Amino acid sequence: MTALDLSSPVAVVGTGTMGQGIAQVALVAGHPVRLYDAAPGRAREAAAAIGARLDRLVEKERLTAAGRDAARARLLPVEELTGLAGCALVVEAVLERLDIKQELFRALEDVVPDDCLLATNTSSLSVTAIGGALRLPGRFVGLHFFNPAPLLPLVEVVSGSATDVTSATRAYETARAWGKTPVACADTPGFIVNRVARPFYAEAFAVYESQGADPATIDAVLRESGGFRMGPFELTDLIGQDVNESVTHSVWRSFFQDARFTPSLAQRRLVESGRLGRKTGRGWYDHADGAERPEPHTADPAEPPAYVIAEGGLGPASELLALIREAGVEVRERDEDGGTRLVLPGGGKLVLADGRTTAEFRDVVHFDLALDYRGATRIALSHARHTSPAAVAEATGLFQALGKKVSVIGDVPGMIVARTVARIVDLAVEAVAKGVATEDDVDTAMRLGVNYPLGPFEWSRRLGRGWAGELLDELHGIDPSGRCAPSLALHQYACAADEREDTP
């Protein structure tokens, strides 16, 4: 099954920001496009707005004037649903309410031919449930674009329980012909991106609610150590706290209130108070004109230790040893069964975040995971109240000697980056095990849909397939509520690691 022929008319129902973006994508690809909106005059306004965006593409030399004129000639706003008769594809982008979408598609079935492909852009509703209202549910698919649709490459092509393989394939190939990067997935709450991304927000909010660190510090650590483009507090302010919380609640409810998807009470309070982010001028941060952005906590300068003793290597942080030597700090190596730590001259120990609290040990300072310790510009440290100030000072001075800013946070098990990555890996592995998508499609979706520096499986291979499960086991042991419980799929994935790696 191939992509739709460019002569085939494409319709978009719903002319908000997303609907206009999808229409522009199909239009620039070469299709005749029809716009419909239930509000009188809205389709004509959307056509004018799309025309203005085409003008800007010409100004930026991304489209020729002739191409713009041809695209405008192919764009047709219609005032009645009957104006969509003869279309080969209809994409819906209306209000996220099941009853409204079902009513719309039932009406469309009376207008379009039986071979017309019907698609919803829903991000949070069940594709199966929407399609369940149709006479011919086999031709119904999800085409989940990301905003802004003309710029972001990812499209999740979602097959409902009744979707025909031919319909899903045609939708996939059409998205690819439009210059997008499609990924195929089954109809599951959150699809790929909104399912696997929940811990990125949830773990940050949990650290904040436990008073482990403030939003500015958590954002800075995830950006400057974890390699994420934006931190979760600034990102949800951009998205809208109400929008982000709505998706979280939808996924949580759809998974029968699975503790791993538990929403944040702190975010609920923001929404209740009307502090929705940039669109209201205030969210986690103050976005008023002239408002000062809070600075992340950064430790004062400290003297580096004269030497460190490396016991058993540092696992995923092993590249630190070369950096320490390059900084002029002597590294003395000592074999130690089961040990993966640095011993400081004063007797304190530096240990990579492993899901345990520093309160369990004497003079232990945990340091957080980094995407790339050489490239990271900030490192987080964690210690208990009884940890000696000398150990904290030596640990701080060591990382400062490597050219890193240091953020000292509370005694947070798993810290910030490590627990976030471990939980993302867990949900990704479980999604693949349950047939939601392939490993490659999950990695592609998370890189392109939410700009993660690595896909979850890429990260897992770098850290070791057993790493995430070991950290989550420790977290679950401390907090047996279930929110950090590793999945059975993650356990099986780790157990199969040796066999996979030995397979040619």
Side-chain angles (χ1 to χ4, degrees), residues 199 203 206-207 210 353-358 360 366 368 411-424 426 467-486 490:
E203 294 312 306
V207 172
S210 69
D354 57 8
R356 296 179 291 179
T357 67
T358 49
E360 299 175 52
H366 278 123
D368 209 349
D411 186 11
V412 177
M415 301 195 67
I416 298 172
V417 180
R419 65 190 286 167
T420 299
V421 171
R423 290 214 52 225
I424 288 171
D426 181 35
W467 175 85
E470 291 170 4
L471 188 143
L472 293 178
D473 275 334
E474 294 288 352
L475 283 175
H476 183 55
I478 294 170
D479 174 16
S481 65
R483 66 176 306 277
C484 293
L490 185 64

Side-chain angles (χ1 to χ4, degrees), residues 29-43:
H31 288 274
V33 174
R34 300 178 194 175
L35 291 175
Y36 171 77
D37 197 291
R42 200 65 72 72

